[in-house]
Every structure is written in structure tokens, then in C-alpha cells.
Amino acid sequence: MDQSEAREWLATALAEARAGLGEGGIPIGAALYGADGTLLGRGHNRRVQDGDPSMHAETAAFRAAGRQRSYRGTTMVTTLSPCWYCSGLVRQFGISRVVIGEAVTFRGGQDWLAGHGVEIVLLDDPECVDLMRAFIEHHPDLWNEDIGD
Amino acid sequence: MDQSEAREWLATALAEARAGLGEGGIPIGAALYGADGTLLGRGHNRRVQDGDPSMHAETAAFRAAGRQRSYRGTTMVTTLSPCWYCSGLVRQFGISRVVIGEAVTFRGGQDWLAGHGVEIVLLDDPECVDLMRAFIEHHPDLWNEDIGD
């Protein structure tokens, strides 16, 4: 895909991550885009805000998009490499592509997804890295809780 | 684990599945039990009821259990073999065991989980099979939507 489009979509996920941080939450954001580039849903991690451990950013964006008959051609954009839970979401529902802000602070199931035909676009975005580095440094317990460590 | 305890826990998941069916929903139920046998959370698929595609039964039970520091020793009980999304949930959060009502109408990530050290208890429960068979026969579109087919 076009790198400028990928970065534009990442900006939506980053805005979600920043909003989550502003609410005292874990700064991970995501957005689901349709095959035609329409924004279907966006969201951020809500573990702290809602006391809801299931609301990882990707699940929040998927949920916000509501019921869809097919995910063929859709793109999940996330500020952080998707964990097994969110990788499973992508595989089960046949989401075609994942745009990842960074996989430095956490490397999830991206290789597994690539092996199952999902297109992976890794952007190595420094702001995504900085957000997670600072958060993990200040709130290691919350971060470990969020990934079940 | 003790088969009679597994069947007792499955009864909780089955009650959830029946409740979902009674609401016009997809009849899959789940429950999360603690290492000491305490019921931590229970729930059922809520795609139809809430228009929420993320609320697979296992996610609903996980969510109902709220934030937990660790899932070591916990058991996810589900009426149906967990899809990739819910299998990813089990792996990511280190849920130790999955009790499965049936894997005849749908076979999810149970072998993948077993390969990653999760104990799998498959009960081959006829009521679980009947519930899903009848539902899939009458609502094939809803079922396919729910598994992204």
C-alpha cells in the first residue's frame, strides 16, 4: 500500500492512543478501514477507563465498526504490534491487512498473521515507540497486566 | 481434571448459551473459573442482541470477570471450540485450561492451544452439539457472519 496513506491512517490510531493516555489509560489506539478507505471504526485500550480487560485497541475499533458481513479488503491500523488476542481477531474475521505503528516495545503475532496471508505494513513510527516506552517505564504493572505477563 | 467438575462447569456455559438463544442470539456460552473453582465471570455471544461482533462468549465471560492480575490456574469453559479470536485470548492471558462442550460443528484453535501448553478438556456434549446444529441450520447467515466466513 501507499506509505503516505498508511501514515495518514496511523494518525487516526495515534490520536486514539493519545486520547487514551489523556484519560489515564494505556496509550494504544487502533482504527479499522474499509476496502474503499472509509473509516469503519476507531478506538483505544480501555482497561483502566472501563475496568474492561477485553477492550484492547483493536477490539475497540472492531467493535466500534459494528456488524459487518465481510472484512475482505479491510485494514486494521494499530499503534502497537497486535497481541495474540488481537491477532486472532484479525485471522478469524479475515481482515486483509494490518498497519503497525511499531513492534519495538512489544512484538505480537504479526509473523503468524503474515504466514496466514495477512499483509503486514510495519511503519517504525518514533512517536508510537516513545508513547509506549514512557508508559511502560512509568506503569510497568498496568502494562504487564494488559498483556497477561 | 475431574470429569464431573468439568460437566458441572459446562452447565454454567450451557445455561448462558440457552439464555442467548432465548434472546434471539447465537447460542454459545462461556464461563471463566478461578484456580480455586470460584466462578469469575460468565457470558454469552451478544452479536445479535447488542450488535457487537466482538462479544463472542469467551470474550463476554472474560470481560465479566473484570481486571485480574493473573489468569494462572484459571479455566475457560465454553460450549463450542474457541475460534482464533478467543483462542488468542486464552493464549495471550495465560488461561491454563479450556473445557470445550463440543468441537463437532466448529473446530477452532484447540490444537494450537494444546501445542502452547494449555490443557484442553473436550466433553463431546450432545446438548451443545444439538444447540449449534439447529441454530446453524436455521440461521446459516448469522453463523457465517459470526465466524467471518
Side-chain angles (χ1 to χ4, degrees):
Chain A
M1 78 181 293
D2 183 58
Q3 283 273 318
S4 70
E5 187 172 44
R7 294 205 172 268
E8 189 186 307
W9 291 1
L10 181 64
T12 307
L14 251 170
E16 287 290 332
R18 283 187 219 109
L21 188 69
E23 294 161 6
I26 302 171
I28 307 171
L32 184 66
Y33 280 90
D36 63 355
T38 307
L39 177 62
L40 300 175
R42 55 192 289 173
H44 52 266
N45 188 300
R46 305 194 59 83
R47 170 177 296 271
V48 174
Q49 298 91 317
D50 297 349
D52 185 347
S54 75
M55 278 304 121
H56 273 198
E58 297 89 331
T59 284
F62 177 78
R63 188 184 195 197
R67 289 170 59 181
Q68 304 279 335
R69 188 57 200 86
S70 169
Y71 294 87
R72 191 186 307 265
T74 61
T75 299
M76 179 66 81
V77 188
T78 174
T79 55
L80 183 66
S81 182
C83 80
W84 286 116
Y85 181 39
C86 300
S87 295
L89 175 78
V90 168
R91 179 170 175 190
Q92 186 63 45
F93 291 97
I95 292 169
S96 299
R97 185 162 51 192
V98 181
V99 172
I100 301 171
E102 64 109 346
V104 176
T105 64
F106 177 79
R107 193 179 179 91
Q110 65 195 62
D111 296 333
W112 181 73
L113 287 175
H116 287 96
V118 178
E119 182 188 347
I120 302 292
V121 179
L122 180 58
L123 292 177
D124 282 322
D125 182 85
E127 187 179 347
C128 291
V129 177
D130 289 348
L131 262 176
M132 281 313 293
R133 275 227 174 101
F135 185 82
I136 293 170
E137 190 186 326
H138 291 104
H139 304 282
D141 287 357
L142 267 178
W143 169 239
N144 287 331
E145 182 189 314
D146 199 53
I147 52 167
D149 252 10
Chain B
M1 75 181 296
D2 183 58
Q3 282 273 318
S4 68
E5 187 173 45
R7 294 202 173 269
E8 188 187 307
W9 290 0
L10 181 64
T12 306
L14 251 169
E16 286 291 332
R18 283 187 219 108
L21 188 68
E23 294 161 6
I26 301 171
I28 307 170
L32 184 67
Y33 281 90
D36 62 355
T38 306
L39 177 61
L40 299 175
R42 54 192 289 174
H44 53 266
N45 188 299
R46 305 195 59 84
R47 171 178 294 272
V48 174
Q49 297 91 316
D50 297 349
D52 185 346
S54 75
M55 278 303 122
H56 273 197
E58 296 90 331
T59 284
F62 177 78
R63 188 185 195 196
R67 289 171 58 180
Q68 304 279 335
R69 189 56 200 86
S70 168
Y71 294 87
R72 192 186 306 264
T74 61
T75 300
M76 179 66 81
V77 189
T78 173
T79 56
L80 183 65
S81 181
C83 79
W84 286 116
Y85 181 39
C86 300
S87 296
L89 174 79
V90 168
R91 180 170 175 188
Q92 186 63 47
F93 290 98
I95 292 169
S96 299
R97 185 162 50 190
V98 181
V99 172
I100 300 171
E102 65 109 346
V104 175
T105 66
F106 177 80
R107 192 179 181 90
Q110 66 194 61
D111 296 333
W112 180 73
L113 287 174
H116 287 97
V118 178
E119 182 188 348
I120 302 293
V121 179
L122 180 58
L123 292 178
D124 281 323
D125 183 83
E127 186 180 348
C128 291
V129 177
D130 289 348
L131 262 175
M132 281 312 294
R133 276 227 175 103
F135 185 82
I136 292 170
E137 190 186 327
H138 291 102
H139 304 283
D141 287 357
L142 268 177
W143 169 240
N144 287 331
E145 183 189 313
D146 198 53
I147 53 169
D149 253 11

